[in-house]
Short mmCIF file of all heavy atoms in Angstrom, two decimals:
data_model
loop_
_atom_site.label_atom_id
_atom_site.label_comp_id
_atom_site.label_asym_id
_atom_site.label_seq_id
_atom_site.Cartn_x
_atom_site.Cartn_y
_atom_site.Cartn_z
N ILE A 138 28.88 145.15 89.80
CA ILE A 138 29.91 144.11 89.83
C ILE A 138 31.25 144.78 90.10
O ILE A 138 31.42 145.97 89.84
CB ILE A 138 29.97 143.30 88.52
CG1 ILE A 138 30.23 144.20 87.32
CG2 ILE A 138 28.72 142.47 88.33
CD1 ILE A 138 30.41 143.46 86.02
N ASN A 139 32.18 144.00 90.60
CA ASN A 139 33.50 144.57 90.88
C ASN A 139 34.53 144.06 89.87
O ASN A 139 34.23 143.24 88.99
CB ASN A 139 33.93 144.28 92.32
CG ASN A 139 34.34 142.84 92.53
OD1 ASN A 139 33.95 141.94 91.79
ND2 ASN A 139 35.14 142.60 93.56
N LYS A 140 35.77 144.54 90.00
CA LYS A 140 36.85 144.15 89.10
C LYS A 140 37.13 142.65 89.17
O LYS A 140 37.44 142.03 88.15
CB LYS A 140 38.13 144.92 89.44
CG LYS A 140 38.09 146.39 89.13
CD LYS A 140 39.38 147.07 89.59
CE LYS A 140 39.27 148.57 89.49
NZ LYS A 140 40.45 149.24 90.06
N GLY A 141 37.04 142.09 90.37
CA GLY A 141 37.27 140.65 90.54
C GLY A 141 36.29 139.82 89.73
O GLY A 141 36.66 138.83 89.10
N PHE A 142 35.04 140.24 89.71
CA PHE A 142 34.01 139.53 88.93
C PHE A 142 34.31 139.67 87.44
O PHE A 142 34.23 138.69 86.69
CB PHE A 142 32.63 140.10 89.27
CG PHE A 142 31.48 139.27 88.76
CD1 PHE A 142 31.06 138.16 89.47
CD2 PHE A 142 30.82 139.60 87.60
CE1 PHE A 142 30.00 137.39 89.02
CE2 PHE A 142 29.77 138.85 87.14
CZ PHE A 142 29.36 137.73 87.85
N ALA A 143 34.66 140.88 87.02
CA ALA A 143 35.00 141.10 85.61
C ALA A 143 36.18 140.23 85.20
O ALA A 143 36.18 139.63 84.12
CB ALA A 143 35.31 142.58 85.38
N LYS A 144 37.18 140.14 86.05
CA LYS A 144 38.38 139.34 85.75
C LYS A 144 38.02 137.86 85.62
O LYS A 144 38.50 137.18 84.72
CB LYS A 144 39.43 139.54 86.84
CG LYS A 144 40.71 138.82 86.59
CD LYS A 144 41.72 139.08 87.68
CE LYS A 144 42.98 138.26 87.43
NZ LYS A 144 43.94 138.39 88.52
N ILE A 145 37.19 137.34 86.52
CA ILE A 145 36.76 135.94 86.45
C ILE A 145 36.12 135.65 85.10
O ILE A 145 36.29 134.58 84.52
CB ILE A 145 35.80 135.61 87.61
CG1 ILE A 145 36.56 135.55 88.93
CG2 ILE A 145 35.07 134.28 87.37
CD1 ILE A 145 35.67 135.45 90.16
N LEU A 146 35.38 136.62 84.58
CA LEU A 146 34.69 136.45 83.31
C LEU A 146 35.58 136.75 82.09
O LEU A 146 35.12 136.65 80.96
CB LEU A 146 33.44 137.33 83.26
CG LEU A 146 32.39 136.99 84.29
CD1 LEU A 146 31.20 137.94 84.16
CD2 LEU A 146 31.94 135.55 84.17
N GLY A 147 36.82 137.12 82.35
CA GLY A 147 37.76 137.35 81.26
C GLY A 147 37.73 138.75 80.66
O GLY A 147 38.22 138.96 79.55
N PHE A 148 37.16 139.69 81.38
CA PHE A 148 37.10 141.06 80.88
C PHE A 148 38.21 141.90 81.50
O PHE A 148 38.65 141.64 82.62
CB PHE A 148 35.75 141.69 81.19
CG PHE A 148 34.62 141.09 80.41
CD1 PHE A 148 33.83 140.11 80.97
CD2 PHE A 148 34.38 141.48 79.11
CE1 PHE A 148 32.80 139.53 80.25
CE2 PHE A 148 33.36 140.92 78.38
CZ PHE A 148 32.56 139.93 78.94
N ILE A 149 38.61 142.92 80.78
CA ILE A 149 39.67 143.82 81.25
C ILE A 149 39.12 144.81 82.27
O ILE A 149 39.81 145.18 83.21
CB ILE A 149 40.33 144.54 80.07
CG1 ILE A 149 41.05 143.53 79.20
CG2 ILE A 149 41.27 145.63 80.54
CD1 ILE A 149 41.58 144.06 77.89
N ASN A 150 37.88 145.25 82.07
CA ASN A 150 37.33 146.23 83.00
C ASN A 150 35.88 145.92 83.32
O ASN A 150 35.23 145.11 82.66
CB ASN A 150 37.51 147.65 82.46
CG ASN A 150 36.74 147.89 81.18
OD1 ASN A 150 35.53 147.69 81.11
ND2 ASN A 150 37.45 148.34 80.15
N VAL A 151 35.39 146.58 84.34
CA VAL A 151 34.05 146.35 84.85
C VAL A 151 32.98 146.72 83.83
O VAL A 151 31.99 146.00 83.67
CB VAL A 151 33.84 147.13 86.17
CG1 VAL A 151 32.40 147.09 86.61
CG2 VAL A 151 34.75 146.58 87.26
N GLN A 152 33.17 147.81 83.12
CA GLN A 152 32.15 148.26 82.17
C GLN A 152 31.92 147.23 81.06
O GLN A 152 30.79 146.95 80.69
CB GLN A 152 32.51 149.62 81.57
CG GLN A 152 31.38 150.24 80.77
CD GLN A 152 30.11 150.47 81.60
OE1 GLN A 152 30.17 151.03 82.69
NE2 GLN A 152 28.97 150.02 81.09
N GLU A 153 33.01 146.65 80.53
CA GLU A 153 32.87 145.60 79.51
C GLU A 153 32.05 144.43 80.04
O GLU A 153 31.18 143.90 79.36
CB GLU A 153 34.24 145.10 79.05
CG GLU A 153 34.98 146.00 78.13
CD GLU A 153 36.32 145.40 77.73
OE1 GLU A 153 36.68 144.30 78.19
OE2 GLU A 153 37.03 146.05 76.94
N ALA A 154 32.38 144.00 81.25
CA ALA A 154 31.67 142.87 81.86
C ALA A 154 30.21 143.22 82.09
O ALA A 154 29.31 142.42 81.80
CB ALA A 154 32.33 142.47 83.17
N TYR A 155 29.96 144.40 82.59
CA TYR A 155 28.59 144.84 82.86
C TYR A 155 27.78 144.89 81.56
O TYR A 155 26.65 144.42 81.50
CB TYR A 155 28.57 146.19 83.56
CG TYR A 155 27.19 146.64 83.91
CD1 TYR A 155 26.53 146.11 85.01
CD2 TYR A 155 26.51 147.55 83.11
CE1 TYR A 155 25.23 146.50 85.32
CE2 TYR A 155 25.22 147.95 83.42
CZ TYR A 155 24.59 147.41 84.52
OH TYR A 155 23.31 147.77 84.82
N ASP A 156 28.37 145.44 80.51
CA ASP A 156 27.68 145.52 79.22
C ASP A 156 27.35 144.12 78.69
O ASP A 156 26.27 143.90 78.13
CB ASP A 156 28.53 146.27 78.19
CG ASP A 156 28.66 147.76 78.51
OD1 ASP A 156 27.87 148.28 79.34
OD2 ASP A 156 29.58 148.40 77.95
N TYR A 157 28.27 143.19 78.87
CA TYR A 157 28.07 141.81 78.43
C TYR A 157 26.92 141.15 79.20
O TYR A 157 26.02 140.57 78.60
CB TYR A 157 29.37 141.03 78.63
CG TYR A 157 29.26 139.53 78.42
CD1 TYR A 157 29.17 139.00 77.14
CD2 TYR A 157 29.28 138.66 79.51
CE1 TYR A 157 29.09 137.63 76.95
CE2 TYR A 157 29.20 137.30 79.32
CZ TYR A 157 29.11 136.79 78.03
OH TYR A 157 29.03 135.43 77.85
N ILE A 158 26.93 141.29 80.50
CA ILE A 158 25.91 140.67 81.35
C ILE A 158 24.54 141.31 81.12
O ILE A 158 23.52 140.64 81.15
CB ILE A 158 26.29 140.79 82.84
CG1 ILE A 158 27.54 139.96 83.13
CG2 ILE A 158 25.16 140.35 83.75
CD1 ILE A 158 28.16 140.25 84.47
N ALA A 159 24.53 142.61 80.85
CA ALA A 159 23.28 143.35 80.72
C ALA A 159 22.53 143.09 79.42
O ALA A 159 21.35 143.40 79.32
CB ALA A 159 23.55 144.85 80.85
N GLN A 160 23.19 142.49 78.45
CA GLN A 160 22.52 142.21 77.17
C GLN A 160 21.49 141.10 77.36
O GLN A 160 21.85 139.99 77.78
CB GLN A 160 23.53 141.79 76.11
CG GLN A 160 24.50 142.88 75.73
CD GLN A 160 25.56 142.40 74.76
OE1 GLN A 160 25.45 141.32 74.19
NE2 GLN A 160 26.58 143.21 74.57
N PRO A 161 20.22 141.36 77.07
CA PRO A 161 19.18 140.38 77.34
C PRO A 161 19.29 139.09 76.54
O PRO A 161 18.92 138.03 77.01
CB PRO A 161 17.88 141.12 77.00
CG PRO A 161 18.27 142.30 76.21
CD PRO A 161 19.72 142.59 76.50
N ASP A 162 19.83 139.15 75.30
CA ASP A 162 19.90 137.93 74.52
C ASP A 162 21.25 137.22 74.62
O ASP A 162 21.48 136.24 73.94
CB ASP A 162 19.55 138.18 73.05
CG ASP A 162 19.87 139.57 72.56
OD1 ASP A 162 19.89 140.49 73.37
OD2 ASP A 162 20.09 139.73 71.35
N THR A 163 22.13 137.68 75.46
CA THR A 163 23.41 137.00 75.66
C THR A 163 23.26 135.99 76.80
O THR A 163 22.96 136.37 77.93
CB THR A 163 24.52 138.01 76.03
OG1 THR A 163 24.64 138.95 74.98
CG2 THR A 163 25.84 137.32 76.26
N PRO A 164 23.45 134.70 76.48
CA PRO A 164 23.36 133.73 77.57
C PRO A 164 24.58 133.87 78.49
O PRO A 164 25.71 133.80 78.03
CB PRO A 164 23.36 132.38 76.85
CG PRO A 164 24.02 132.64 75.54
CD PRO A 164 23.76 134.08 75.20
N PHE A 165 24.32 134.11 79.74
CA PHE A 165 25.40 134.24 80.70
C PHE A 165 25.62 132.91 81.42
O PHE A 165 26.72 132.42 81.51
CB PHE A 165 25.10 135.36 81.70
CG PHE A 165 26.14 135.50 82.78
CD1 PHE A 165 27.42 135.89 82.47
CD2 PHE A 165 25.82 135.22 84.09
CE1 PHE A 165 28.39 136.01 83.46
CE2 PHE A 165 26.78 135.34 85.09
CZ PHE A 165 28.06 135.73 84.76
#
Side-chain angles (χ1 to χ4, degrees):
I138 58 176
N139 74 337
K140 291 176 189 175
F142 192 81
K144 183 179 177 185
I145 288 171
L146 297 179
F148 291 97
I149 295 171
N150 64 56
V151 171
Q152 190 60 49
E153 284 181 359
Y155 183 79
D156 291 344
Y157 171 75
I158 294 167
Q160 295 175 12
D162 29 333
T163 301
F165 176 65

